Amino acid sequence: MEISDLTNLNYYHRDLSWLLFNRRVIHEAKDASNSLLEQLRFLAIASSNLDEFFMVRVPSIQSVARLKPDSKDRRTGWTKKEVLLKLYEMNLNNTRLQYQYYDALIEKLEEQLYFIQDVEELQSEDRQEVADFFHELLLPAITHIGLDVYHAFPKIVEKSIHLFVKLRQGEDVRQAIVPLPPLFKRLHQLSNPQTYVYLEQIIAYHLSDIFVGWEIEHSFFFRITYDKDLEFQEDADEELFLQMEEYVIERNKGLASRLEISGEWSATIEESVLYLAEKLQLESYDLYWVPGPLDLTFLFPVVDELAEKLPELIFPNYKGNPHKELQGEALFRKIEQEDLLLQHPYDSFEVVLRLLEAAAEDPNTIAIKQTLYRMAPNSRVIAALKKAAMKGKQVTVLVELKARFDEENNLHWVQELEQAGCYVSYGLQHLKTHCKALLIVKKEKNQIKQYAHFGTGNYNEKSAKLYTDISFFTAKNEYVEDITVFFNFLSGYRSVPEYQQISVSPNGIREMLLENIQAVMDHFQETKTGEICFKINSLTDTVIIDKLYEASQIGIPIYLIVRGACCLKPGVANLSETIQVTSIVGRFLEHSRIYAFSFGDEKESKVWISSADAMTRNMLHRIEIATPVTGSTRDELETILETFKKDQKKAYYLEENGLYKRHLEGNDFSAQDFFMENSVSLTVVSKESSKEGFLAKIRQLWQHH
């Protein structure tokens, strides 16, 4: 086995692999097929991603490195300190690349006559305007904090920009911190509406007006990220709602995990940086010198503002197929007649919302049961559930209070739901409920009718416009019976159910995947036909990886479309020669999870959608659902997978050395572009017509590529 910077065993390191995913996001800022403002937006996305990485993933490694310095990573055999050093080096390279693209894009923005300038570069009248703004508005809002024996070292606000200032008055040397006032825009727009100045530069330029009578020896900008992954210790004797309220407060007490610095380097500034690092208990590999403005997430509002003035420089507005024929009673009758499959955002999430809102209004609806993980602001899902409860229907909602960074939002929604008369539960102790499921129960002429929805993404109408996900609707008895006992299991007291169709984690989904891989292996050994294809967000579970290695070693073609972290090492002789791993990064975040097992022409393939990625946490520590899809809807899923396998425009290929490479020459086919252009063709019209029409269109398209 080749030893590389990413692994020295059979697996890549999960977090190094994730950093490579973030590098692919950064690379989208250079892709000319993305318009200028969208390229800037990708830089902001990469910064936002990285913040969460340092709030969630890195702190756990830092903690182990402090407490057990000789502890080794089980996938690679490295010590935790070695892991941190490798993360540092890779992220440093990512950051340099990100700011290289940023500088180039700002130059392109100037071609559109929009300028971000340093204060020193401004004409005298513009500098005077900036000075007036500083003295009249900024200065009254600024409070600097002295660092001496009379002032305790402050709790620095996370992810906010600060100035560190070293001062001198004769022999007296002092240090201070100046936080940026939080309610001011990061980019200050001059009266010339096409000229902007960084807020922190305005403050730095006028430091002598803050520290009157003191000489400014040096200053630099810095920013801190904190550990937000404080372990939640559940107490079975205390109400979970109250525990979560306390946890949200306690989580703000985490240690610093990263210090970012922006400013011209010098030996004296380095001394001040090391002083800060010591106060924050950070090591040298936790310090990042950034070659530009800190925190590129400020580009999000900038892009939104400029998009109104330069609409040609953003992605054209896209709305998925609204399926106007699927409304009210017609939607329920459609689901009764046959299963329905939608791919969001190419098929509008409005269909899911309409189903729930129609159920809330329908006098025949007697019960609604639903899981909720992350909800949109002003959620229509919450509004529909509240309306249903107020109309006297029994509404049972399982809200996951432990959804990371959505705890406060979910606590708020729980209160609203309960006040409206919904029955709210929090799932099972020590397990996150991550599955996406909805059950609607109607009574029509003394007959009970049930309708189920299974999804790969959250019931969040905002993210449904940005993420690709699958929705599966069915009224078949075996599915609705499964989901009925599933909700009873989660909300009450009963033994673990035996399901007819669905698989449920903990354990169930991993067992299902292993059994299906083995079934393909058995069939392949007899017939030399068969194939495995996964489309997922992450692949880190070594048990599943080892089984895929085993399948590859007998010659089974395996296609893995893994957006983010992938610990599997493809293309290795005598281990994974038949495995291909790609990652698709584009306009939409690839979020759907599909597991497909093909047996050639001799036997029907098996295809599952799931809320779960092939990660150990999803397999063992979360409540997840995997749902088998059959008939024409299965054919649609297989066609979707074939389309993604054809993508080379937006796909990166994972190579044996652990790095990703694009195959651009001679191929301009993008799966996302194709789905946007042909979303009407994805409508499941009937068992007879849907597959053939879509497949014929794809075959015709592929002949030209």
Side-chain angles (χ1 to χ4, degrees):
M1 171 62 59
E2 176 189 348
I3 297 176
S4 76
D5 291 338
L6 296 163
T7 186
N8 61 0
L9 296 175
N10 285 356
Y11 317 102
Y12 297 125
H13 189 275
R14 167 184 169 175
D15 296 309
L16 288 168
S17 180
W18 183 90
L19 282 175
L20 288 177
F21 158 67
N22 213 38
R23 184 178 297 178
R24 298 193 290 279
V25 176
I26 292 169
H27 276 309
E28 289 298 301
K30 192 181 181 183
D31 190 333
S33 67
N34 299 319
S35 51
L36 175 59
L37 294 180
E38 300 297 347
Q39 289 174 288
L40 286 168
R41 199 195 305 272
F42 275 113
L43 293 180
I45 292 170
S47 288
S48 177
N49 289 347
L50 193 64
D51 281 349
E52 184 168 339
F53 181 71
F54 274 95
M55 292 159 67
V56 176
R57 292 297 307 169
V58 173
S60 61
I61 305 173
Q62 291 170 325
S63 296
V64 177
R66 291 188 194 104
L67 300 174
K68 300 177 182 179
D70 297 327
S71 174
K72 293 187 176 182
D73 175 72
R74 60 187 176 84
R75 290 189 182 90
T76 61
W78 296 324
T79 66
K80 297 299 182 181
K81 185 174 181 179
E82 287 174 325
V83 169
L84 288 170
L85 287 169
K86 290 177 182 294
L87 289 173
Y88 178 81
E89 183 179 2
M90 181 176 289
N91 190 46
L92 203 61
N93 290 332
N94 282 5
T95 301
R96 288 170 178 164
L97 190 68
Q98 185 179 20
Y99 280 86
Q100 176 186 328
Y101 293 165
Y102 174 78
D103 291 340
L105 292 173
I106 294 303
E107 287 184 12
K108 288 186 178 180
L109 193 62
E110 291 178 358
E111 295 173 9
Q112 303 295 323
L113 301 181
Y114 284 87
F115 303 91
I116 301 177
Q117 292 189 308
D118 293 335
V119 178
E120 292 88 347
E121 297 174 348
L122 296 174
Q123 299 294 325
S124 57
E125 60 270 22
D126 289 334
R127 278 204 305 274
Q128 184 59 51
E129 180 186 336
V130 166
D132 293 342
F133 166 71
F134 173 80
H135 288 99
E136 293 172 14
L137 294 173
L138 264 184
L139 185 58
I142 291 173
T143 301
H144 67 269
I145 303 161
L147 302 178
D148 54 43
V149 294
Y150 294 99
H151 298 85
F153 190 83
K155 174 70 174 181
I156 296 172
V157 177
E158 65 173 348
K159 298 191 293 184
S160 294
I161 310 297
H162 297 72
L163 276 84
F164 184 97
V165 187
K166 188 173 182 180
L167 306 154
R168 179 178 292 276
Q169 194 177 65
E171 297 298 317
D172 192 5
V173 177
R174 298 293 176 95
Q175 296 163 320
I177 290 174
V178 183
L180 261 66
L183 298 183
F184 288 82
K185 287 184 177 181
R186 181 75 183 282
L187 279 185
H188 174 64
Q189 187 177 29
L190 301 186
S191 55
N192 172 0
Q194 291 176 291
T195 302
Y196 298 83
V197 183
Y198 295 107
L199 186 70
E200 61 265 34
Q201 287 194 359
I202 297 175
I203 296 174
Y205 189 77
H206 293 91
L207 282 176
S208 59
D209 294 324
I210 299 174
F211 300 98
V212 178
W214 289 80
E215 177 188 350
I216 311 298
E217 282 213 345
H218 65 249
S219 67
F220 58 87
F221 308 113
F222 73 93
R223 180 174 180 264
I224 295 173
T225 315
Y226 287 102
D227 176 4
K228 292 294 183 179
D229 198 34
L230 181 67
E231 185 177 356
F232 177 64
Q233 302 284 352
E234 284 191 56
D235 184 347
D237 296 323
E238 185 179 353
E239 185 180 345
L240 184 61
F241 187 94
L242 298 176
Q243 292 182 63
M244 286 308 304
E245 286 185 316
E246 295 171 0
Y247 170 77
V248 169
I249 296 171
E250 286 297 313
R251 190 175 59 188
N252 291 325
K253 300 177 181 179
L255 296 174
S257 61
R258 174 185 54 163
L259 171 61
E260 297 173 281
I261 308 102
S262 177
E264 291 187 13
W265 183 90
S266 70
T268 53
I269 285 181
E270 183 180 275
E271 182 181 337
S272 295
V273 169
L274 293 176
Y275 163 79
L276 265 182
E278 181 184 2
K279 289 291 185 181
L280 297 166
Q281 302 178 52
L282 292 172
E283 302 290 340
S284 57
Y285 47 72
D286 301 320
L287 315 180
Y288 288 88
W289 213 286
V290 175
L294 295 171
D295 186 17
L296 294 186
T297 61
F298 82 87
L299 290 170
F300 282 126
V302 171
V303 168
D304 289 341
E305 180 180 327
L306 291 179
E308 297 180 5
K309 305 169 184 175
L310 303 167
E312 70 279 7
L313 297 183
I314 61 169
F315 288 133
N317 187 36
Y318 177 76
K319 293 183 179 179
N321 187 344
H323 295 280
K324 293 181 179 179
E325 75 283 3
L326 299 176
Q327 303 214 35
E329 194 59 28
L331 177 53
F332 287 102
R333 297 290 83 83
K334 177 71 174 178
I335 299 170
E336 287 177 30
Q337 293 164 12
E338 59 182 346
D339 295 342
L340 177 64
L341 183 86
L342 300 179
Q343 183 182 201
H344 310 302
Y346 315 111
D347 297 299
S348 175
F349 194 72
E350 279 289 317
V351 180
V352 180
L353 297 173
R354 278 189 229 129
L355 180 77
L356 188 56
E357 290 169 346
E361 292 284 358
D362 192 338
N364 292 320
T365 301
I366 60 174
I368 299 174
K369 302 181 181 184
Q370 188 169 15
T371 62
L372 295 177
Y373 193 76
R374 300 188 196 277
M375 284 77 78
N378 303 314
S379 169
R380 285 172 59 186
V381 172
I382 297 291
L385 293 171
K386 289 166 59 178
K387 178 177 286 189
M390 288 187 285
K391 285 181 173 288
K393 309 175 196 310
Q394 187 175 72
V395 179
T396 304
V397 189
L398 193 148
V399 179
E400 180 46 74
L401 292 182
K402 301 185 290 292
R404 185 183 287 125
F405 302 130
D406 275 82
E407 297 95 343
E408 291 179 86
N409 289 334
N410 289 1
L411 288 168
H412 164 73
W413 292 127
V414 163
Q415 292 176 317
E416 290 221 351
L417 289 166
E418 288 182 332
Q419 289 170 4
C422 301
Y423 294 94
V424 180
S425 66
Y426 312 129
L428 301 180
Q429 190 176 7
H430 304 305
L431 295 171
K432 280 188 179 181
T433 304
H434 186 251
C435 57
K436 330 296 180 186
L438 166 66
L439 177 67
I440 295 168
V441 184
K442 289 188 177 187
K443 183 179 180 183
E444 298 179 5
K445 297 179 180 179
N446 296 320
Q447 181 183 5
I448 294 295
K449 294 184 177 181
Q450 299 183 81
Y451 309 84
H453 171 268
F454 300 91
T456 64
N458 296 306
Y459 290 102
N460 184 321
E461 56 267 36
K462 182 179 180 181
S463 62
K465 297 176 182 178
L466 306 173
Y467 294 9
T468 71
D469 275 303
I470 301 294
S471 277
F472 175 65
F473 307 78
T474 183
K476 288 179 178 175
N477 288 335
E478 59 269 31
Y479 288 95
V480 296
E481 289 171 4
D482 274 359
I483 199 62
T484 297
V485 297
F486 171 80
F487 276 112
N488 290 341
F489 171 61
L490 284 188
S491 60
Y493 302 104
R494 63 155 294 161
S495 58
V496 178
E498 291 287 335
Y499 298 104
Q500 302 171 64
Q501 290 289 338
I502 66 175
S503 292
V504 178
S505 285
N507 299 314
I509 296 177
R510 181 195 264 175
E511 291 174 5
M512 177 274 291
L513 294 174
L514 296 177
E515 288 172 4
N516 277 283
I517 294 171
Q518 185 62 52
V520 177
M521 291 172 62
D522 294 342
H523 183 80
F524 190 87
Q525 287 177 317
E526 292 179 8
T527 66
K528 298 302 177 186
T529 60
E531 180 182 299
I532 296 169
C533 182
F534 293 175
K535 181 186 180 296
I536 49 182
N537 300 318
S538 300
L539 173 58
T540 64
D541 186 71
T542 55
V543 175
I544 295 172
I545 290 172
D546 287 344
K547 194 65 178 178
L548 291 170
Y549 284 155
E550 189 181 340
S552 178
Q553 288 164 34
I554 66 171
I556 296 175
I558 300 172
Y559 300 91
L560 304 175
I561 306 162
V562 186
R563 183 198 79 217
C566 178
C567 296
L568 178 144
K569 191 169 187 178
V572 179
N574 303 316
L575 180 71
S576 57
E577 290 178 86
T578 65
I579 301 178
Q580 174 183 284
V581 178
T582 61
S583 171
I584 294 174
V585 180
R587 172 175 180 171
F588 302 115
L589 182 81
E590 290 298 337
H591 193 254
S592 53
R593 292 100 167 185
I594 308 170
Y595 298 94
F597 307 90
S598 173
F599 301 90
D601 296 329
E602 296 88 352
K603 182 181 175 184
E604 282 193 345
S605 58
K606 295 183 179 180
V607 186
W608 301 66
I609 65 167
S610 182
S611 58
D613 287 304
M615 305 174 72
T616 304
R617 73 178 189 192
N618 300 79
M619 299 295 106
L620 301 181
H621 306 300
R622 290 188 172 190
I623 304 293
E624 306 271 15
I625 293 177
T627 309
V629 178
T630 61
S632 63
T633 48
R634 178 197 59 215
D635 298 338
E636 290 287 344
L637 277 177
E638 289 184 308
T639 302
I640 288 170
L641 288 176
E642 288 299 320
T643 307
F644 280 115
K645 284 160 64 176
K646 181 68 178 174
D647 193 319
Q648 288 190 11
K649 182 177 181 180
K650 287 294 186 179
Y652 292 81
Y653 290 77
L654 177 57
E655 300 184 324
E656 186 183 347
N657 62 6
L659 301 177
Y660 287 78
K661 185 178 180 180
R662 264 189 172 166
H663 298 174
L664 289 174
E665 292 184 8
N667 193 304
D668 61 355
F669 180 80
S670 161
Q672 291 193 1
D673 289 347
F674 178 79
F675 288 133
M676 282 193 288
E677 293 165 5
N678 298 277
S679 60
V680 175
S681 300
L682 285 173
T683 309
V684 180
V685 179
S686 69
K687 292 181 180 179
E688 292 74 27
S689 64
S690 63
K691 180 190 176 188
E692 285 306 314
F694 189 43
L695 281 176
K697 190 153 192 161
I698 281 187
R699 290 191 193 102
Q700 182 182 16
L701 181 79
W702 287 0
Q703 287 171 358
H704 294 88
H705 291 277

